[in-house]
Amino acid sequence: MADDSLQTRVIGVITAALHGKGDGIEAVINAMCQPEVAIVSMTVTGKGYCHQPASGNLNPDHPDILHDLDNPQTPRSLPGLILAAINRRRQPGLPPFSVMSCDNMPENGHVTRNVIVQLAQRQDAALAEYIQQHVTFPSTMVDRIVPAMTEAAFDALAGRLSSRDPVAVEAEPFFQWVIEDNFVSGRPAWEKAGAELVSDVLPYEEMKLRMQNGSHSFLACLGYLAGYQHISDCMADPHFRAAARSLIVDEQAPTLRTQGVDLEAYADSLIARYENRAIKHRTWQIATDGSQKLPQRLLDSLRWQNALPVAKKVKRACAARPAPDLRRRSGRQRRSGRPADRLLSAAD
């Protein structure tokens, strides 16, 4: 794809849509209870799981979970919604479905299983036992940059289509989808469309979270402080570009246990993807909810580094040296009085 080019594509597999508030939760639960439904997948961000990120367990004090414990037939939370559908299918003997998370969390299938089973245990022990025996929760790793749509993006698309599409999305050409092959009622032949079906997704999750998401957060946080609006703007700065690649190759890649993947080539592909000016991925959007994102993107790598012998720690710590230097350079290049200048001063 050329640097500023735009290609359009109709996604024809989506044939219907329901909204919990507009159409009602009952309509959503009924849709999941259709006998032909074999897989329920989700992409709701980590916050939607009502879990404790440090442990991966259900947060029993979450307001939506408290509501769902008192009102299991009219749930508000994602775990409550899935649980209501599983329970309703179980009663007439419909076959169980698999629950597939596509969110950026380590072992997202295990987290999904934890929150749903633990919520069930607080509602109905027999239901919890049924889920543990009959429902599967395959983990996945999905890698594709999909920025939030802006009015400018909608306008550009309308100009090409001569009509407005309020549910359009923009995305980069690259995609990678790795799926744990663990489905209780069958699955489509996703491998024919380029998906990788594996027995263990965790090494791929760690690769993506640390190398791609970690460097994305690194660029977003420092880039926002430096006044850059988009990731591609950061990559036009040679200091940001060098620092990002150093983080990916020298700090993140050595912590991984992924086999059969050329990590240097993967790092080069990440840099090329970040340079794509047609993808207007805003730094503030990526930097949002850092407390939810950074533990799995950066802190696990820091723990790995801290466990190294002292001699290797010093060597690897030097690889992160461009980051503070980059901040100082950014501050010197700015005009006085802009908000980011004040943030940089506060950070220093």
Side-chain angles (χ1 to χ4, degrees), residues 62 82 99 108 114 118 180 215 259 262 312 316 333:
H62 191 287
I82 301 296
V99 183
N108 50 20
N114 284 348
Q118 289 167 14
E180 179 186 2
S215 59
Q259 300 294 318
D262 186 336
K312 290 187 176 181
R316 297 201 183 283
Q333 292 169 355

Side-chain angles (χ1 to χ4, degrees), residues 58-78:
L58 181 74
N59 177 3
D61 298 320
H62 191 287
D64 289 343
I65 295 299
L66 294 174
H67 170 274
D68 292 354
L69 288 170
D70 292 333
N71 306 276
Q73 301 305 315
T74 56
R76 290 180 183 169
S77 72
L78 172 70

Side-chain angles (χ1 to χ4, degrees), residues 166-281:
V167 294
V169 296
E170 62 177 357
E172 65 173 336
F174 176 92
F175 77 91
Q176 184 181 21
W177 192 14
V178 184
I179 307 168
E180 179 186 2
D181 200 357
N182 181 25
F183 294 88
V184 69
S185 296
R187 61 166 176 82
W190 283 317
E191 61 271 25
K192 293 182 178 180
E196 301 172 61
L197 279 296
V198 300
S199 60
D200 184 10
V201 174
L202 184 58
Y204 297 89
E205 290 177 336
E206 291 176 342
M207 181 183 74
K208 193 251 181 170
L209 283 166
R210 297 181 189 181
M211 294 182 73
Q212 195 268 317
N213 295 122
S215 59
H216 231 194
S217 288
F218 170 83
L219 287 168
C221 294
L222 288 182
Y224 178 79
L225 289 175
Y228 291 129
Q229 187 176 1
H230 303 113
I231 293 296
S232 57
D233 299 332
C234 298
M235 299 308 289
D237 184 323
H239 306 295
F240 273 81
R241 190 182 189 282
R245 196 179 191 287
S246 177
L247 175 70
I248 295 169
V249 174
D250 300 322
E251 298 293 326
Q252 301 285 52
T255 72
L256 300 172
R257 55 190 182 92
T258 309
Q259 300 294 318
V261 178
D262 186 336
L263 296 181
E264 286 271 354
Y266 182 64
D268 290 337
S269 74
L270 289 177
I271 296 299
R273 291 163 63 191
Y274 297 163
E275 290 174 331
N276 184 352
R277 295 199 305 271
I279 296 295
K280 303 297 184 184
H281 211 173

Side-chain angles (χ1 to χ4, degrees), residues 119-183:
L119 180 59
Q121 289 170 338
R122 292 170 178 268
Q123 289 185 1
D124 181 342
L127 175 58
E129 181 68 20
Y130 170 84
I131 294 170
Q132 291 175 310
Q133 292 184 6
H134 298 287
V135 180
T136 60
F137 299 84
S139 290
T140 68
M141 187 280 280
V142 182
D143 186 2
R144 194 175 200 187
I145 297 173
V146 184
M149 289 293 285
T150 64
E151 283 304 314
F154 281 119
D155 290 343
L157 182 61
R160 294 176 67 91
L161 301 180
S162 299
S163 64
R164 297 193 72 84
D165 182 352
V167 294
V169 296
E170 62 177 357
E172 65 173 336
F174 176 92
F175 77 91
Q176 184 181 21
W177 192 14
V178 184
I179 307 168
E180 179 186 2
D181 200 357
N182 181 25
F183 294 88

Side-chain angles (χ1 to χ4, degrees), residues 17-29 75-76 81:
L18 294 170
H19 190 278
K21 290 186 177 180
D23 298 288
I25 289 297
E26 185 66 17
V28 178
I29 295 174
R76 290 180 183 169
L81 182 63

